[in-house]
Amino acid sequence: MALKRTLRSARLSDAPVSHLAEDAVVHTPTKNGRNSPKHLGTIVTPTNNDTADNQSTPLTKKAKLQAKPVNSKTEASNSIPLERPAGPHSTNAPLKTPRGSRLITYALDVADSSPSKSGLPRPTTSTSQILDQACAHLIKADPRLQPLIEKHHCRLFSAEGLAEEVDPFQSLCSGIMAQQVSGAAASSIKKKFVDLFREGADTTQSTSESFFPSAAQIAPCEVSFLRGAGLSCRKAEYIKGLAEKFISGELTAAMLISASDEEIMEKLTAVRGLGLWSVQMFACFALKRTDIFSTGDLGVQRGMAAFMGKNIQKLKANKGGKWKYMSEADMLQHSAKFAPYRSLFMWYMWRIEDVDVAAIENT
């Protein structure tokens, strides 16, 4: 199937990431000499546990918290502003930190400011407008897409979709669990994995449907214990290793916000168990970055070949073994005009061939 891939292991990355605390708001001088807040992510809704946790976390002197306790998944979702600055090469999803706080890429008042020293690109649009602008760009680049766009609404990049909180650690773990198994099997493994940690966890958290063990809970566990959920030995090692990277600070929500698209690919594919396709899907569906394009996805290849007028059945019948519906060079060439909204173009290529992407969207 198009959504199943054999993910290659790669060396653990020794590359340093940002040392700025995930709660920090960096102030840089503007042209008029005043300090203006530039975010590597803003704390939107810390939990009640944040106060204690922050005592052991060094913050910059000008770090700020916008505190509001979160009592439920519904409240958390509703607390994220629907109207926020956004950009095609930015992480447009609110990211959950290990302390239960949320980071957003831009403060609500930085839309017209210059890029910060953190390297964040200037926001070019807002979360309520980016989907309409992206669709208009796709139609202008190729009017043949208009009927497809009018038929299928892409909630993923809508204001509501961009307001949904994402736990990057949970999303990456779920992706590893789903490798080379059916969607039903992946759901079963994930449920068993969560159940391993319910006993002894905070009662309020463990009884919640959204409960998922933290990196701090998983990292000390033996591989044999993690395998109790039905994981293979290798997958259990991958998840344990991923947890250790989040605990050590090599991977953080702040890094996933501040990094460029290329840096996301480089840093995450250096983690054992995360191949290029998995990272591309994570960047598109979890981080909500709009210019991700996977040439290695069979569904995208097939949809794009059909969109270009090729006879899919004839292509499949005339080739055997490992082959592609379109070459990587052709896919990159023909998709270039849809930048910086190739994630949306990719989503519509899946629609052409009715590829079920629910397994990825729900990780």
Side-chain angles (χ1 to χ4, degrees):
M1 291 180 60
L3 301 181
K4 295 180 183 178
R5 294 292 180 275
T6 301
L7 303 178
R8 298 172 187 162
S9 301
R11 288 184 310 169
L12 292 174
S13 173
D14 296 323
V17 297
S18 172
H19 295 292
L20 182 66
E22 291 188 350
D23 312 50
V25 178
V26 181
H27 291 251
T28 56
T30 59
K31 291 182 179 179
N32 61 14
R34 296 178 181 177
N35 282 338
S36 173
K38 310 292 186 194
H39 290 64
L40 246 187
T42 303
I43 292 293
V44 178
T45 48
T47 64
N48 293 328
N49 296 328
D50 282 346
T51 302
D53 290 338
N54 288 338
Q55 292 176 355
S56 61
T57 303
L59 300 179
T60 62
K61 291 182 179 180
K62 295 182 179 180
K64 292 183 178 180
L65 289 177
Q66 300 174 355
K68 178 181 178 182
V70 177
N71 296 320
S72 68
K73 184 177 181 181
T74 302
E75 181 181 343
S77 178
N78 291 339
S79 67
I80 303 297
L82 287 179
E83 179 72 15
R84 294 178 284 115
H89 296 290
S90 301
T91 291
N92 293 306
L95 300 188
K96 184 178 179 181
T97 72
R99 290 184 297 276
S101 306
R102 291 171 186 83
L103 302 186
I104 56 176
T105 302
Y106 301 107
L108 302 182
D109 58 352
V110 301
D112 297 324
S113 60
S114 300
S116 71
K117 290 181 180 179
S118 66
L120 290 173
R122 176 184 294 177
T124 57
T125 184
S126 70
T127 50
S128 65
Q129 298 176 347
I130 192 169
L131 179 58
D132 287 342
Q133 292 178 358
C135 289
H137 179 82
L138 263 58
I139 292 171
K140 183 178 180 181
D142 195 323
R144 293 178 299 166
L145 284 169
Q146 185 166 352
L148 189 65
I149 290 173
E150 291 176 348
K151 181 179 180 181
H152 300 283
H153 171 66
C154 181
R155 187 183 183 280
L156 180 68
F157 295 112
S158 68
E160 293 76 18
L162 297 179
E164 293 176 349
E165 173 199 290
V166 172
D167 182 336
F169 174 69
Q170 177 180 343
S171 180
L172 288 169
C173 283
S174 299
I176 291 174
M177 292 177 192
Q179 292 171 14
Q180 298 176 272
V181 298
S182 67
S187 297
S188 176
I189 291 171
K190 185 175 181 178
K191 181 181 183 302
K192 291 176 182 177
F193 186 85
V194 169
D195 288 343
L196 290 176
F197 293 88
R198 286 193 187 276
E199 186 176 350
D202 177 83
T203 304
T204 304
Q205 291 182 342
S206 63
T207 56
S208 169
E209 291 184 4
S210 62
F211 170 74
F212 191 86
S214 67
Q217 291 172 297
I218 295 173
C221 296
E222 297 291 336
V223 169
S224 57
F225 173 77
L226 301 180
R227 291 195 65 191
L231 292 167
S232 67
C233 182
R234 181 162 292 183
K235 284 187 180 181
E237 291 173 350
Y238 291 163
I239 291 173
K240 179 178 172 66
L242 181 66
E244 290 169 349
K245 281 193 170 290
F246 271 88
I247 291 298
S248 70
E250 290 185 66
L251 296 178
T252 65
M255 180 277 286
L256 295 171
I257 280 181
S258 65
S260 66
D261 293 338
E262 293 76 15
E263 288 169 337
I264 292 289
M265 298 300 137
E266 180 183 351
K267 290 180 183 294
L268 292 184
T269 55
V271 178
R272 291 184 67 232
L274 296 178
L276 179 59
W277 179 84
S278 288
V279 176
Q280 288 170 333
M281 298 303 105
F282 171 75
C284 175
F285 288 97
L287 301 184
K288 310 288 175 60
R289 293 188 173 226
T290 69
D291 199 31
I292 305 300
F293 187 68
S294 176
T295 60
D297 186 281
L298 195 60
V300 177
Q301 291 176 21
R302 192 168 63 242
M304 196 168 177
F307 181 69
M308 299 302 297
K310 297 179 182 293
N311 188 321
I312 301 302
Q313 297 303 321
K314 185 176 180 180
L315 282 173
K316 189 172 183 179
N318 291 343
K319 296 184 179 181
K322 294 183 178 180
W323 60 280
K324 295 183 177 182
Y325 289 97
M326 288 186 70
S327 70
E328 180 177 7
D330 284 346
M331 291 179 73
L332 290 174
Q333 177 185 345
H334 291 297
S335 65
K337 62 185 177 183
F338 300 108
Y341 301 110
R342 287 178 296 177
S343 296
L344 187 63
F345 173 69
M346 181 167 65
W347 192 86
Y348 279 113
M349 293 303 98
W350 279 317
R351 297 281 72 75
I352 288 176
E353 286 297 301
D354 294 322
V355 174
D356 183 9
V357 296
I360 306 176
E361 290 179 327
N362 295 329
T363 57

